[in-house]
Amino acid sequence: MKNSTKIQLMTMMFLMFFGWGAWYGQMSKYLLSTLHATGDQVGNAYLTFALASLVAPFFVGLIADRFFAAQKVMGVLNIIGGGILYLLSQTTDPEVFFWYILAYTLCFAPNLALSNSIAMKQMQNPEKEFANIRVTGTIAWIVVTNIIGFYALGDNVAIFHIAMYNSFVLGIYAFFLPDTPPKADKNASVAQIVGLDALQLFKDRSFLIFFISSILICIPLSFYYAMANPSLTDAHMSNVENKMSLGQVSEVIFMLLIPIAFVRLGVKKMLIMGLIAWIIRFLCFGYGDGISSEWILFIGIILHGVCYDFFFVTGQIYTDQKAGPHIKNSAQGLITLATYGIGMGIGSKLSGIVLDMYTTNGIHDWKSVWMVPAGIALLVLALFILFFQDKKQAA
């Protein structure tokens, strides 16, 4: 790959995650503090991304991959998304906000698949080259959340203004990305596009347990994305966005450790470590305090690398190994649809209901809120330890 192309792709990833990071982790604080939304309304707002993740594979597989160049689809979607964000930033009604954020996420979610298609089209060896391109997205998330934290914009409509301007820039920039023409087989079935070909993997009991566990652990994951920021703010932690960005720093570090851990620990131990880390982090959020025990909250934040990388990234590698070359893409598509669509959808809705359940006169009982995802993660851990077996696939 030419250096100029590599820079183009790294810039694409940076812009995409810069816009996403500007609003995603802070949206709950904005809704609760500025729009005075209920917990259920916050949960519904995060539910939109899960709904969009369910729709995106159909849109990309049935339309974008068949008839249009990926970079042009990305350009159009981001320009439309920027316009929707402008309208969203003008509303103060949480109910109206829901429809705008749903419309925006429907435009944004396909970017994840489109950006991968554009990048991998330019690579001779994606396994070695993709990580160096993708890491700029994590860096962008760190940069934008630190900007928002430094200027104390977490509860301000400015988070959507930043995302709006970024969306317009990415939309225009996309038209100058390397040409990525339609690539899919127009005769491919809906089942192939959304990964249903991979259902044959369920004959392996351990893969079925892993699949169910992946869906279930996305429920606590949704609690983290939706509720961590306002929870840490209420716990009197200062500069929350800046300190939460340490989670992404941790993610990069543990990503680099995965190849070593894979050899020394194996899949089952790594996945179990990821699940234990989830339980510990929720206990930290429940019992830590920004005044007397901020270090406990820091542990919860920094554990993000173990939580995410040792379960989700390791899980993607495990899925790749189990599927083999013929249904590899279908298997990854099925996992993505189930986790980011179904699992996070359930978790987003449940997190809002739980927050309302433990809110009295506008005061949130965060300790009780965090015990719910901790309990779910504990049940997943028990299920996993009892029934999952890490058997090497025969060659």
Side-chain angles (χ1 to χ4, degrees):
M1 188 191 305
K2 295 188 297 184
N3 284 334
S4 58
T5 302
K6 184 175 182 179
I7 292 171
Q8 273 188 299
L9 298 176
M10 292 172 74
T11 303
M12 172 190 70
M13 290 292 184
F14 187 94
L15 288 171
M16 185 174 72
F17 282 89
F18 189 93
W20 191 7
W23 64 271
Y24 192 67
Q26 294 70 246
M27 179 169 67
S28 53
K29 181 189 284 188
Y30 172 74
L31 284 168
L32 291 169
S33 302
T34 303
L35 300 193
H36 307 293
T38 64
D40 190 47
Q41 288 171 328
V42 172
N44 289 339
Y46 279 94
L47 174 62
T48 62
F49 199 89
L51 295 175
S53 296
L54 289 172
V55 174
F58 294 93
F59 173 79
V60 173
L62 294 174
I63 299 176
D65 273 355
R66 296 183 180 213
F67 304 109
F68 303 103
Q71 79 280 4
K72 293 180 180 178
V73 176
M74 177 180 277
V76 171
L77 286 176
N78 279 281
I79 290 172
I80 294 173
I84 294 170
L85 284 171
Y86 171 77
L87 297 173
L88 178 151
S89 68
Q90 303 302 304
T91 186
T92 57
D93 184 341
E95 293 295 329
V96 176
F97 180 95
F98 168 83
W99 295 107
Y100 282 133
I101 197 67
L102 175 61
Y104 171 68
T105 53
L106 287 170
C107 289
F108 180 82
N111 278 308
L112 301 176
L114 292 169
S115 62
N116 289 347
S117 295
I118 294 168
M120 291 185 181
K121 176 73 173 178
Q122 308 304 314
M123 299 175 185
Q124 293 183 342
N125 191 342
E127 290 82 0
K128 293 183 178 180
E129 298 176 88
F130 183 74
N132 293 330
I133 302 295
R134 170 59 181 82
V135 74
T136 57
T138 303
I139 293 170
W141 195 291
I142 295 170
V143 170
V144 72
T145 51
N146 272 283
I147 291 172
I148 289 167
F150 182 79
Y151 289 103
L153 300 176
D155 60 355
N156 194 291
V157 72
I159 60 176
F160 294 106
H161 290 156
I162 293 170
M164 175 187 71
Y165 292 125
N166 184 88
S167 190
F168 285 132
V169 171
L170 177 57
I172 295 169
Y173 179 78
F175 287 100
F176 298 93
L177 289 168
D179 185 41
T180 310
K183 62 180 177 62
D185 178 4
K186 294 187 179 182
N187 295 319
S189 67
V190 173
Q192 291 172 319
I193 290 169
V194 299
L196 297 185
D197 282 1
L199 290 178
Q200 61 186 274
L201 291 172
F202 290 169
K203 295 176 183 177
D204 182 328
R205 188 187 74 172
S206 287
F207 185 84
L208 178 60
I209 293 299
F210 163 73
F211 182 81
I212 295 171
S213 299
S214 296
I215 294 175
L216 294 178
I217 201 62
C218 277
I219 298 174
L221 174 65
S222 299
F223 274 77
Y224 170 71
Y225 283 131
M227 301 302 169
N229 192 309
S231 171
L232 295 175
T233 301
D234 285 353
H236 308 292
M237 176 179 266
S238 60
N239 303 107
V240 171
E241 290 79 15
N242 300 86
K243 292 170 181 175
M244 284 189 69
S245 71
L246 293 174
Q248 276 65 50
V249 175
S250 168
E251 184 182 328
V252 173
I253 294 171
F254 280 97
M255 186 84 71
L256 297 175
L257 293 175
I258 281 180
I260 301 172
F262 233 94
V263 174
R264 297 193 175 185
L265 299 175
V267 171
K268 183 171 185 177
K269 289 182 180 178
M270 289 182 70
L271 294 173
I272 288 174
M273 286 177 65
L275 289 169
I276 292 173
W278 278 110
I279 297 169
I280 295 173
R281 90 178 313 194
F282 292 135
L283 292 174
C284 287
F285 288 155
Y287 286 92
D289 183 88
I291 298 174
S292 60
S293 54
E294 190 174 43
W295 62 273
I296 295 178
L297 298 178
F298 270 113
I299 291 175
I301 292 171
I302 294 172
L303 278 173
H304 183 71
V306 187
C307 293
Y308 189 84
D309 292 338
F310 273 37
F311 195 90
F312 291 98
V313 178
T314 301
Q316 289 170 356
I317 297 172
Y318 170 72
T319 299
D320 197 73
Q321 291 177 343
K322 297 294 288 185
H326 299 297
I327 56 171
K328 181 185 298 186
N329 292 336
S330 291
Q332 295 291 356
L334 182 63
I335 286 289
T336 300
L337 192 73
T339 52
Y340 287 95
I342 299 171
M344 291 195 69
I346 295 170
S348 296
K349 183 65 177 177
L350 182 62
S351 66
I353 294 171
V354 170
L355 181 61
D356 281 340
M357 185 185 305
Y358 292 112
T359 298
T360 304
N361 297 324
I363 305 300
H364 309 302
D365 179 4
W366 287 111
K367 183 183 293 184
S368 297
V369 169
W370 289 120
M371 292 309 104
V372 175
I376 295 172
L378 181 61
L379 289 174
V380 177
L381 176 63
L383 172 72
F384 202 77
I385 291 174
L386 290 173
F387 298 107
F388 181 86
Q389 295 296 324
D390 179 16
K391 295 179 181 178
K392 299 294 183 184
Q393 185 171 349

